[in-house]
């Protein structure tokens, strides 16, 4: 039973909480958040508290010379318990993983072996095929920036809270796709809410995460979409004065993603709010409104020009092309000015 999409982790967690276990789990990939989430769920549910002293073993890659040690531990029988649990963390650092292939041919069915393989994926097809026959292979991939709002909304909903769309954008832009850090910030926000409050607001994010509700990529994008030149200028000046909190690479990514999506909207068969929601796989009509506003301000030709401009300034920010010696503040100011003033603007 292979689990290769992080969106499929829900069914896997449901099985674990029902105490439906497989003899071997390979949890691998670049996104450590889901690997830790699944591993922690197995540890929490596989054994009773009184069974753990004799039946739970945690091994670390830095302390294990060869996978033969893991195999030997997995072959043992549990003591006065239905299962024994072997968790291997940092498995990518252990040599001799080929030794696992022999164990997979005749595994100890009363052992739950969990292999956490981070910062990449195991390429040994024989091992993967062997695990898939008897257990679970789960590949945890990094989320795209466009997937972060859905993650934030789902995580907040799991705590029976809601979150303002602007607060979602602020967090997604500021934290990025480090899900462990993002979930930590959301936990902090949930705890800090005043008694009786069930909604995370931009003000709460500003106070507890350190992101300005007035000077952030969401507000810059809004200023560009509505062609509010003074507001855009103020935000660019703030970014230039606070470069550590407002890195150019993040701003460029936000602008590129928006205008790439906007171009799709121009060629959508249904340009209504509901049509844009479906075209871009958005969670609500609120998220579609910026695109509808932008379609009234810009046109498809302008959108193509903007995407080309963003690519050009992204290259210049990395020292490629003419004028590459300009600082980030100057580059952003030039880019925003050219976006706002173009011959193709409506």
């Amino acid at each position: 039973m292979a689990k290769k999409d992080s969106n499929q982790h829900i069914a896997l967690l449901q099985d674990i909480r029902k105490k439906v276990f497989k003899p071997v789990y390979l949890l691998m990939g670049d996104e450590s958040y889901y690997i830790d989430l699944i591993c922690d769920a197995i540890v929490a549910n596989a054994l009773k508290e009184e069974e753990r002293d004799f039946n739970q073993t945690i091994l670390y890659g830095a302390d294990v010379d060869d996978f033969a040690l893991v195999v030997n531990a997995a072959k043992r029988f549990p003591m006065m318990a239905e299962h024994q649990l072997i968790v291997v963390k940092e498995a990518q650092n252990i040599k001799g993983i080929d030794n696992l292939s022999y164990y997979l041919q005749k595994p100890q069915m009363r052992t739950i072996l969990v292999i956490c393989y981070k910062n990449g994926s195991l390429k040994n097809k024989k091992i993967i095929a062997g695990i898939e026959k008897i257990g679970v292979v789960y590949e945890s991939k990094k989320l795209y920036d466009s997937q972060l709002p859905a993650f934030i909304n789902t995580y907040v909903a799991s705590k029976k809270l809601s979150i303002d769309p602007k607060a979602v954008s602020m967090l997604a832009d500021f934290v990025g796709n480090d899900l462990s850090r993002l979930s930590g910030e959301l936990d902090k926000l949930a705890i800090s809410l005043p008694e009786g409050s069930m909604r995370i607001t931009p003000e709460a994010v500003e106070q507890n995460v350190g992101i300005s509700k007035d000077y952030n990529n969401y507000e810059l994008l809004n200023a560009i979409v509505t062609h509010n030149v003074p507001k855009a200028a103020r935000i660019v000046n703030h970014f230039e004065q606070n470069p550590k909190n407002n890195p150019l690479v993040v701003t460029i990514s936000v602008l590129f993603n928006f205008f790439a999506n906007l171009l799709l909207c121009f060629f959508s068969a249904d340009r209504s709010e509901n049509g844009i929601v479906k075209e871009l796989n958005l969670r609500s009509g609120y998220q579609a409104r910026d695109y509808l506003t932008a379609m009234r301000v810009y046109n498809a030709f302008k959108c193509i020009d903007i995407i080309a401009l963003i690519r050009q300034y992204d290259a210049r920010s990395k020292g490629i092309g003419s004028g590459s010696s300009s600082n980030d503040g100057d580059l952003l100011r030039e880019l925003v000015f050219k976006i706002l003033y173009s011959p193709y603007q409506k």
Side-chain angles (χ1 to χ4, degrees), residues 17-121:
R17 287 163 187 156
K18 293 175 184 175
K19 301 190 183 300
V20 177
F21 298 107
K22 298 292 182 177
V24 182
Y25 293 83
L26 172 60
L27 311 176
M28 62 181 183
D30 293 316
E31 180 48 72
S32 63
Y33 173 80
Y34 288 107
I35 295 174
D36 291 336
L37 185 69
I38 295 167
C39 180
D40 290 347
I42 295 172
V43 171
N45 289 276
L47 298 172
K48 298 175 183 177
E49 184 68 34
E50 61 271 18
E51 296 173 338
R52 290 176 180 166
D53 285 343
F54 295 105
N55 296 288
Q56 178 172 292
T57 303
I58 309 293
L59 301 172
Y60 291 87
D63 302 323
V64 178
D65 293 330
D66 194 281
F67 237 91
L69 178 63
V70 176
V71 171
N72 289 335
K75 287 179 178 179
R76 294 197 303 256
F77 282 88
M79 294 182 63
M80 296 178 290
E82 184 178 353
H83 301 289
Q84 74 153 336
L85 175 63
I86 309 292
V87 177
V88 186
K89 298 191 174 185
E90 304 166 6
Q92 70 276 7
N93 296 323
I94 305 177
K95 298 177 181 179
I97 198 168
D98 289 341
N99 287 311
L100 187 61
S101 62
Y102 302 105
Y103 175 78
L104 296 174
Q105 294 172 20
K106 193 176 180 181
Q108 165 57 271
M109 300 305 290
R110 293 180 66 187
T111 292
I112 302 170
L113 174 60
V114 183
I115 302 167
C116 300
Y117 192 104
K118 295 183 178 181
N119 303 319
S121 297

Side-chain angles (χ1 to χ4, degrees), residues 146 221 225 254-266 271 276-277 280 282 284-298:
S146 60
L221 186 58
V225 166
V254 169
L255 294 176
F256 180 84
N257 288 336
F258 179 84
F259 283 100
N261 283 338
L262 182 61
L263 188 59
L264 293 176
C265 294
F266 281 116
R271 298 188 186 181
I276 298 304
V277 168
L280 301 180
L282 304 176
S284 69
Y286 182 93
Q287 293 175 287
R289 290 169 196 167
D290 279 345
Y291 293 102
L292 292 170
T293 300
M295 290 173 74
R296 293 192 290 269
V297 176
Y298 303 108

Side-chain angles (χ1 to χ4, degrees), residues 29-289:
D30 293 316
E31 180 48 72
S32 63
Y33 173 80
Y34 288 107
I35 295 174
D36 291 336
L37 185 69
I38 295 167
C39 180
D40 290 347
I42 295 172
V43 171
N45 289 276
L47 298 172
K48 298 175 183 177
E49 184 68 34
E50 61 271 18
E51 296 173 338
R52 290 176 180 166
D53 285 343
F54 295 105
N55 296 288
Q56 178 172 292
T57 303
I58 309 293
L59 301 172
Y60 291 87
D63 302 323
V64 178
D65 293 330
D66 194 281
F67 237 91
L69 178 63
V70 176
V71 171
N72 289 335
K75 287 179 178 179
R76 294 197 303 256
F77 282 88
M79 294 182 63
M80 296 178 290
E82 184 178 353
H83 301 289
Q84 74 153 336
L85 175 63
I86 309 292
V87 177
V88 186
K89 298 191 174 185
E90 304 166 6
Q92 70 276 7
N93 296 323
I94 305 177
K95 298 177 181 179
I97 198 168
D98 289 341
N99 287 311
L100 187 61
S101 62
Y102 302 105
Y103 175 78
L104 296 174
Q105 294 172 20
K106 193 176 180 181
Q108 165 57 271
M109 300 305 290
R110 293 180 66 187
T111 292
I112 302 170
L113 174 60
V114 183
I115 302 167
C116 300
Y117 192 104
K118 295 183 178 181
N119 303 319
S121 297
L122 182 64
K123 304 302 182 184
N124 191 315
K125 294 181 180 179
K126 183 178 179 182
I127 298 292
I128 291 174
I131 295 175
E132 286 180 330
K133 288 180 180 179
I134 60 169
V136 171
V137 176
Y138 181 94
E139 184 172 9
S140 182
K141 296 181 179 180
K142 285 284 187 183
L143 293 189
Y144 295 112
D145 290 342
S146 60
Q147 296 173 297
L148 293 178
F151 174 86
I152 293 170
N153 280 292
T154 300
Y155 193 90
V156 170
S158 72
K159 296 183 174 294
K160 302 188 185 308
L161 300 173
S162 62
I163 183 168
D164 189 278
K166 181 177 177 180
V168 171
S169 295
M170 290 168 67
L171 285 165
D173 293 345
F174 183 77
V175 179
N177 66 350
D178 182 342
L179 300 190
S180 296
R181 182 185 170 200
L182 188 54
S183 60
E185 294 291 357
L186 289 168
D187 288 341
K188 183 168 68 175
L189 285 164
I191 294 170
S192 68
L193 288 177
E195 186 176 353
S197 177
M198 303 297 289
R199 188 170 181 83
I200 297 173
T201 63
E203 289 75 16
V205 174
E206 182 176 38
Q207 292 169 10
N208 295 283
V209 182
I211 313 169
S212 171
K213 66 181 176 61
D214 297 315
Y215 297 98
N216 55 69
N217 286 310
Y218 177 89
E219 290 299 329
L220 176 60
L221 186 58
N222 177 265
I224 292 171
V225 166
T226 59
H227 205 258
N228 188 332
V229 177
K231 179 180 177 180
R234 287 196 301 271
I235 295 172
V236 169
N237 288 337
H238 179 85
F239 281 14
E240 185 175 26
Q241 294 166 13
N242 301 274
K244 289 185 178 179
N245 292 332
N246 305 280
L248 180 59
V249 64
V250 175
T251 302
I252 284 178
S253 176
V254 169
L255 294 176
F256 180 84
N257 288 336
F258 179 84
F259 283 100
N261 283 338
L262 182 61
L263 188 59
L264 293 176
C265 294
F266 281 116
F267 294 99
S268 174
D270 182 357
R271 298 188 186 181
S272 67
E273 184 174 299
N274 287 336
I276 298 304
V277 168
K278 291 179 181 178
E279 177 70 31
L280 301 180
N281 195 28
L282 304 176
R283 290 181 64 87
S284 69
Y286 182 93
Q287 293 175 287
R289 290 169 196 167

